[in-house]
Amino acid sequence: MGKKGKKEKKGRGAEKTAVKMEKKVSKRSRKEETFLYNELYVYNIRKDTWTKVDIPSPPPRRCAHQAVVVPQGGGQLWVFGGEFASPSGEQFYHYKDLWVLHLATKTWEQVKSTGGPSGRSGHRMVAWKRQLILFGGFHESTRDYIYYNDVYAFNLDTFTWSKLSPSGTGPTPRSGCQMSVTPQGGIVIYGGYSKQRVKKDVDKGTRHSDMFLLKPEDGREDKWVWTRMNPSGVKPTPRSGFSVAMAPNHQTLFFGGVCDEEEEESLAGEFFNDLYFYDATRNRWFEGQLKGPKSEKKKRRRGRREEPEGGSKLACGGAGTQAPVEVVKEVVTEDGTVVTIKQVLSAPGSAGQPQSEDEDSLEEAGSPTPGPCPRSNAMLAVKHGVLYVYGGMFEAGDRQVTLSDLHCLDLHRMEAWKTLVEMDPETQEWLEETDSEEDSEEVEGAEGGDEDEDEDSGEESGAED
């Protein structure tokens, strides 16, 4: 289910822009470019089309921010923080600004309110009642970095920030974690990533796999408490860069990510495209298993069953087992490089799932259908019980590929992935290698950054790592 690649050791800030992290390793004779955007696109499900929406005065270009949709005012999209890097990586900073897109009037507005979080990336934000709750993230400057575990609330009625001080023992500082609201009104924090310096120019990353519940104490919205959770079931393997969405029945859906195997001078990443579900009501993890596409039903009479050719009998009461299927995709880049992506797909109904004993059950399950290739930092959305997965990134050797494909999966049927938009090699953005470290390119869009970056980088995170 994975795809491995090697790269310079740079540590993962969960959603860090690759150019910035690579640029920090100045001993290598490498030069990379990256491009950030502030464009807005809308995907029409019925028409199966993307449309670029041009709205005046949008937020400055950025990545690794958070965006939350709320129903207030005819629908609003709130955006906080993130980071900017110039194409060459010479300029880099974090944002601490707050923006709202009014969906009814299609207008952007910057909301200025004091007392909010410091500039950061990789944080998480959710809508909770009539508030936005923000947790964690990281800030990096040329000299140092810091991870956060602080919690802020933004009131959607008064447009004011407040810093929460929950009781109990909460998560250690981290970024890129899961943050979701439970049916009972609590907020779950799971996993994430952080790093710490072990010696000069050497950082060690930590993939967190612990879970915490943040909830109002005694029903009061001004007093919160942390509780450590120990869910049962089939848990995801340790990773960072996974993506999260709310599935039907108030379950949290967990997709993809990357597991780094770190050595002192290298970083190998195994990428995933698996699905997990967390049921907060039962405090239990489930692995998402696809049934496979339906094939023609072959009705069987009671007490009669055809034997396969050769007279061999089916084990386990007639339930046959299928071997895993390896699917190979090739992506040809514009410079002629061929990248091979291999996926090993489990047979439908495998992984311990019981076979149906219904008389009209399928004689044979459909063949596995490849879905999104292994990746990290994909974008997820669930609409009418259908999961949509867009983009993300994976690594091929020393190269990092930005994806633009789109896939969907019916979460009620859980049969097979459907590809809506294939990967387009013409739009693949590679980190190219050159022999020069010199950088004299013009920087565009550098306005609106975090002006007190030095001040922010010295803040305490509020808990020991």
Side-chain angles (χ1 to χ4, degrees), residues 325-371:
V325 176
E326 184 178 88
V327 177
V328 179
K329 289 183 180 179
E330 287 189 348
V331 178
V332 182
T333 68
E334 56 189 348
D335 65 358
T337 304
V338 178
V339 179
T340 302
I341 307 170
K342 291 185 179 181
Q343 295 175 250
V344 179
L345 304 176
S346 301
S350 61
Q353 288 199 346
Q355 290 280 343
S356 171
E357 296 180 358
D358 193 293
E359 291 182 20
D360 293 337
S361 64
L362 300 185
E363 181 72 19
E364 57 182 35
S367 59
T369 301

Side-chain angles (χ1 to χ4, degrees), residues 11 52 68 71 94 96 126 155 157 164-165 172 189 191 194 242 244 268 283 327 331 361 436 446 462:
K52 184 180 178 182
V68 172
H94 297 269
K96 60 177 182 179
V126 296
N155 190 301
D157 295 320
L164 305 183
S165 300
T172 55
I189 299 291
S194 64
F242 52 81
V244 173
N283 192 27
V327 177
V331 178
S361 64
S436 172

Side-chain angles (χ1 to χ4, degrees), residues 229-304:
M229 304 281 285
N230 292 296
S232 59
V234 182
K235 303 175 184 178
T237 56
R239 65 190 71 183
S240 60
F242 52 81
S243 305
V244 173
M246 294 306 298
N249 302 320
H250 302 288
Q251 294 183 342
T252 301
L253 183 150
F254 175 111
F255 171 81
V258 58
C259 176
D260 291 327
E261 299 171 7
E262 297 189 37
E263 298 177 3
E264 195 162 300
E265 292 298 329
S266 66
L267 182 69
E270 180 178 4
F271 290 77
F272 301 95
N273 61 350
D274 46 1
L275 282 172
Y276 288 86
F277 295 87
Y278 173 68
D279 188 329
T281 302
R282 301 166 64 181
N283 192 27
R284 186 178 181 87
W285 282 104
F286 298 90
E287 187 175 5
Q289 293 288 338
L290 301 188
K291 302 172 185 176
K294 289 186 178 180
S295 58
E296 292 183 7
K297 290 185 177 182
K298 297 182 180 180
K299 296 201 174 188
R300 299 182 301 221
R301 293 181 183 176
R302 187 184 301 275
R304 294 185 60 188

Side-chain angles (χ1 to χ4, degrees), residues 384-441:
H384 302 312
V386 176
L387 168 67
Y388 294 85
V389 175
Y390 171 79
M393 61 76 62
F394 74 94
E395 290 161 6
D398 289 331
R399 290 177 158 184
Q400 193 175 70
V401 183
T402 301
L403 301 169
S404 60
D405 50 346
L406 179 65
H407 306 263
C408 69
L409 174 67
D410 189 319
L411 296 175
H412 295 294
R413 297 182 179 180
M414 289 293 289
E415 291 177 356
W417 286 99
K418 179 181 178 182
T419 300
L420 300 172
V421 179
E422 293 276 4
M423 288 186 289
D424 183 1
E426 296 299 321
T427 63
Q428 299 299 320
E429 296 196 22
W430 296 91
L431 298 185
E432 299 289 353
E433 296 183 18
T434 70
D435 295 326
S436 172
E437 292 183 21
E438 295 178 3
D439 186 4
S440 59
E441 298 187 16

